[in-house]
């Protein structure tokens, strides 16, 4: 299908999105834990959100990234309900059955109950959108601790392959996809992630090794006591380094995050 | 004074066999367009339109007629105050299915006093297989309103929804369905604290 503006209505586009999502080999909200979806009945909303947050963080990354993009769009529809005439209440029953897979062999009554639950979960997903994707500081600290423990227990020393070093106030950042694959960036205790990315870009631009156009990269914290994580644009780099001294800092594009809005135009 | 009152919101569900023109009816009503190219609906389309007389906002839930989405239908039509049962006047089967399936379906999932509207669409075609007399008799026997429409030419389309809205106002007092939509809050009514913030 090729795109001709005005030929396709909003409904056509919505149909295409719904067909795409329901055509995936597995549903976006993975089926393996279908019985563990938070049963929200009677729970306080805070607990419900916490449960959903943990659930989403346990999803595989491609699923989570796709879900993040979709929810961001749906959240915008909900936010602009004056214009879109739709809100989370009406979006939820439409997208609920597409995001979640109905377990097999349920009676009609159980199916209806399940659908109501899916709708409710979808409503929460849409309404609180990005809150579901944050890793809480406490959880992150626990995670780092357990990974560090695991590593020391196994007796391996990861520091040998560490490509990042901080000397006084400079940070070695690598960017494998760039012509200039690594460089040292000066940081202060106030430097945040998007400033590091900006500084990298500016140096590259100065020596003309990258074109002056699109730059949609993010800073990632890789290795050490964490697998990999895309840093928030406002993450304080010095703190991240102290929490994970043996991490590498890598600049590359991210599927869901964008620092574009924070880049200085000069 | 009346201008300050928010129009009452009512949920109407369009149901019926595949390819009888549910989506076309909805589109003609909402934005006055007609698309000759047929495309099966996926799951559900949702539209809203505010009428001046009577002053109501209609939430139109245009369901897919495909067998594949049947299990989702009760979920979509829940809490609807009006069911529009659509058949194609040039298809005997689509009318027979209203009699044998769709009417039972809406009645078994309906709220009390739900308004039912039987609609013979494609009134513009020459190959009629269902007479308006027969449909009218069926409607009368089942306490259902009846109208023939043509989504292609817009005949009776606005009329249909205006009449349906009037019938709903007569049959169902507003307090029964203030939200006009589904009540997801039923699940956790006891502790619902912040959710209401997002309600319009």
């Amino acid at each position: 299908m090729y795109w001709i503006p005005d030929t396709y209505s909003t409904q056509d586009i919505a149909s295409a999105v719904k067909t795409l999502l329901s055509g995936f080999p597995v549903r976006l909200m993975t089926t393996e834990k279908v019985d563990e979806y938070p049963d929200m009945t009677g729970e306080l909303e805070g607990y419900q959100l916490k449960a959903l947050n943990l659930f989403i963080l346990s999803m595989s990354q491609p699923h989570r990234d796709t879900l993040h993009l979709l929810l961001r769009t749906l959240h915008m529809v909900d936010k602009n309900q004056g214009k879109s005439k739709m809100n989370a209440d009406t979006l939820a029953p439409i997208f609920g059955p597409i995001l979640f897979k109905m377990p097999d062999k349920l009676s009609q009554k159980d199916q209806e109950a399940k659908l109501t639950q899916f709708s409710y979960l979808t409503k929460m997903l849409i309404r609180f959108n990005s809150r579901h994707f944050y890793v809480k500081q406490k959880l992150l600290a626990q995670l780092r601790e357990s990974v560090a423990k695991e590593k020391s227990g196994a007796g391996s020393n990861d520091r040998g392959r560490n490509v990042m070093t901080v000397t006084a106030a400079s940070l070695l950042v690598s960017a494998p996809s760039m012509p200039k694959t690594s460089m040292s960036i000066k940081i202060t205790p106030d430097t945040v992630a998007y400033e590091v990315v900006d500084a990298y870009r500016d140096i590259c631009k100065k020596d003309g090794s990258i074109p002056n156009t699109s730059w949609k990269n993010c800073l990632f914290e890789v290795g050490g006591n964490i697998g990999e994580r895309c840093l928030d644009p406002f993450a304080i780099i010095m703190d991240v380094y102290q929490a994970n001294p043996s991490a590498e800092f890598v600049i590359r594009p991210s599927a869901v995050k964008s620092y574009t809005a924070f880049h200085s135009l000069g | 004074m009346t201008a300050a009152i928010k129009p009452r919101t009512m949920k109407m569900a369009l149901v019926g066999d595949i390819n009888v023109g549910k989506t076309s009816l909805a589109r003609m009503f909402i934005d006055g367009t007609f698309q000759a190219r047929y495309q099966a609906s996926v799951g559900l389309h949702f539209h809203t339109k505010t009428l001046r007389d009577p002053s109501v906002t209609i939430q139109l839930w245009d369901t897919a007629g495909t067998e594949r989405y049947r299990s989702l239908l009760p979920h979509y039509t829940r809490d609807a105050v009006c069911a529009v049962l659509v058949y194609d006047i040039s298809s005997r089967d689509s009318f027979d299915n209203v009699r044998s399936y769709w009417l039972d379906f809406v009645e078994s999932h309906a709220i009390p006093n739900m308004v039912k509207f039987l609609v013979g669409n494609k009134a513009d075609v020459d190959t009629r297989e269902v007479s308006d007399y027969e449909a009218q008799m069926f409607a009368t026997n089942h306490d259902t309103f009846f109208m023939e429409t043509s989504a292609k030419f817009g005949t009776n389309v606005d009329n249909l929804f205006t009449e349906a809205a009037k019938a709903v106002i007569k049959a169902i007092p507003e307090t029964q369905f203030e939200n006009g939509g589904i009540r997801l809050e039923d699940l956790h009514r006891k502790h619902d604290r912040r959710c209401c913030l997002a309600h319009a």
Side-chain angles (χ1 to χ4, degrees):
Chain A
M1 189 165 86
Y2 54 93
W3 175 261
I4 309 170
D6 303 333
T7 312
Y8 296 101
S9 66
T10 321
Q11 275 74 34
D12 291 333
I13 309 299
S15 288
V17 171
K18 286 186 279 183
T19 311
L20 175 77
L21 288 172
S22 50
F24 284 160
V26 283
R27 290 294 160 104
L28 217 46
M29 300 297 279
T30 36
T31 50
E32 61 207 56
K33 290 178 184 154
V34 74
D35 293 330
E36 293 169 33
Y37 287 134
D39 179 12
M40 308 284 200
T41 325
E43 288 294 341
L44 286 168
E45 203 173 80
Y47 289 120
Q48 297 174 356
L49 285 175
K50 219 177 251 180
L52 263 181
N53 177 237
L54 287 175
F55 184 77
I56 285 174
L57 294 178
S58 73
M59 287 165 69
S60 71
Q61 188 158 2
H63 278 237
R64 196 169 52 231
D65 289 352
T66 315
L67 183 72
H68 199 168
L69 282 172
L70 176 74
L71 291 184
R72 208 155 61 180
T73 313
L74 297 184
H75 184 71
M76 270 161 66
V77 175
D78 179 44
K79 236 170 91 183
N80 297 307
Q81 52 184 278
K83 226 185 201 176
S84 69
K85 305 273 172 72
M86 294 198 83
N87 56 26
D89 281 325
T90 48
L91 285 167
I94 300 173
F95 281 89
I98 293 170
L99 290 178
F100 296 87
K101 184 172 165 44
M102 181 63 69
D104 298 330
K105 293 171 194 156
L106 281 187
S107 69
Q108 182 72 32
K109 208 178 162 199
D110 288 345
Q111 271 193 16
E112 279 180 39
K114 211 73 191 163
L115 281 170
T116 313
Q117 188 197 357
F118 291 165
S119 282
Y120 179 70
L121 288 171
T122 312
K123 191 174 84 168
M124 297 285 280
L125 287 174
I126 296 170
R127 214 160 256 175
F128 297 99
N129 172 26
S130 45
R131 267 179 67 176
H132 302 298
F133 296 87
Y134 288 146
V135 184
K136 295 271 175 349
Q137 200 55 42
K138 211 169 145 192
L139 181 70
L140 200 63
Q142 280 176 357
L143 211 71
R144 289 188 195 281
E145 207 175 294
S146 77
V147 173
K149 239 184 223 168
E150 233 170 66
K151 281 194 177 161
S152 65
S156 70
N157 187 357
D158 202 34
R159 285 173 187 265
R161 52 164 213 95
N162 180 17
V163 295
M164 194 243 40
T165 47
V166 168
T167 50
S170 80
L171 180 79
L172 189 70
V173 182
S174 59
S177 56
M178 299 288 138
K180 209 173 170 76
T181 52
S182 74
M183 68 169 84
S184 210
I185 307 260
K186 285 204 171 105
I187 59 164
T188 65
D190 301 327
T191 309
V192 294
Y194 85 86
E195 289 171 342
V196 173
V197 178
D198 270 5
Y200 202 104
R201 179 197 56 177
D202 290 344
I203 296 173
C204 285
K205 269 188 188 163
K206 221 176 260 175
D207 57 18
S209 53
I210 58 160
N212 215 353
T213 50
S214 65
W215 174 268
K216 288 176 181 166
N217 289 312
C218 295
L219 188 62
F220 284 75
E221 172 197 1
V222 184
N225 54 26
I226 203 156
E228 174 183 298
R229 137 176 125 105
C230 179
L231 293 171
D232 187 84
F234 292 102
I236 295 178
I237 299 305
M238 203 67 111
D239 289 353
V240 177
Y241 168 67
Q242 271 160 12
N244 190 6
S246 48
E248 295 172 33
F249 289 84
V250 178
I251 290 177
R252 59 179 170 79
S254 159
V256 286
K257 274 201 178 137
S258 168
Y259 289 8
T260 320
F262 310 108
H263 287 146
S264 53
L265 293 167
Chain B
M1 285 304 282
T2 44
I5 300 170
K6 208 178 156 196
R8 171 181 172 174
T9 304
M10 49 179 69
K11 175 175 171 179
M12 296 189 183
L14 279 167
V15 295
D17 270 10
I18 186 169
N19 199 13
V20 293
K22 299 180 289 299
T23 303
S24 298
L25 271 176
R27 288 227 182 142
M28 183 45 88
F29 173 59
I30 299 298
D31 50 32
T33 56
F34 177 77
Q35 196 174 38
R37 168 173 60 93
Y38 173 71
Q39 192 185 5
S41 300
V42 181
L44 176 90
H45 290 310
F46 174 89
H47 311 266
T48 50
K49 184 168 178 172
T50 303
L51 300 182
R52 268 199 207 151
D53 182 29
S55 171
V56 290
T57 298
I58 295 179
Q59 281 190 349
L60 201 54
W61 295 63
D62 169 23
T63 63
T66 328
E67 192 82 39
R68 195 177 152 201
Y69 298 104
R70 289 275 160 96
S71 61
L72 297 177
L73 278 177
H75 181 57
Y76 292 150
T77 57
R78 220 177 97 187
D79 285 355
V81 288
C82 175
V84 182
L85 303 139
V86 190
Y87 70 92
D88 171 359
I89 65 151
S90 64
S91 157
R92 182 86 224 163
D93 284 351
S94 71
F95 182 68
D96 288 344
N97 282 337
V98 168
R99 294 205 291 198
S100 63
Y101 178 81
W102 292 111
L103 191 67
D104 280 349
F105 166 80
V106 294
E107 280 176 349
S108 60
H109 295 94
I111 60 162
N113 308 337
M114 179 202 235
V115 172
K116 288 161 286 174
F117 229 106
L118 179 68
V119 174
N121 193 29
K122 306 195 187 178
D124 52 281
V125 298
D126 298 330
T127 50
R128 179 187 282 274
E129 285 184 11
V130 184
S131 74
D132 55 347
Y133 175 74
E134 183 185 2
Q136 181 67 64
M137 288 306 288
F138 173 74
T140 314
N141 290 339
H142 291 86
D143 194 20
T144 302
F145 295 87
F146 169 69
M147 201 175 270
E148 282 195 352
T149 60
S150 160
K152 190 172 182 179
F153 297 109
T155 322
N156 262 348
V157 175
D158 286 348
N159 202 8
L160 157 69
F161 291 101
T162 312
E163 288 303 315
K166 283 181 184 165
V168 170
I169 291 171
K170 237 186 216 173
I172 306 169
E174 184 167 9
T175 45
Q176 274 189 19
F177 63 103
E178 276 168 338
N179 279 338
I182 53 165
R183 286 190 291 266
L184 295 168
E185 285 78 7
D186 284 357
L187 265 178
H188 72 140
R189 244 177 304 185
K190 282 179 199 164
H191 303 292
D192 190 10
R193 285 180 182 172
R194 270 180 292 169
C195 249
C196 53
L197 284 177
H199 278 291

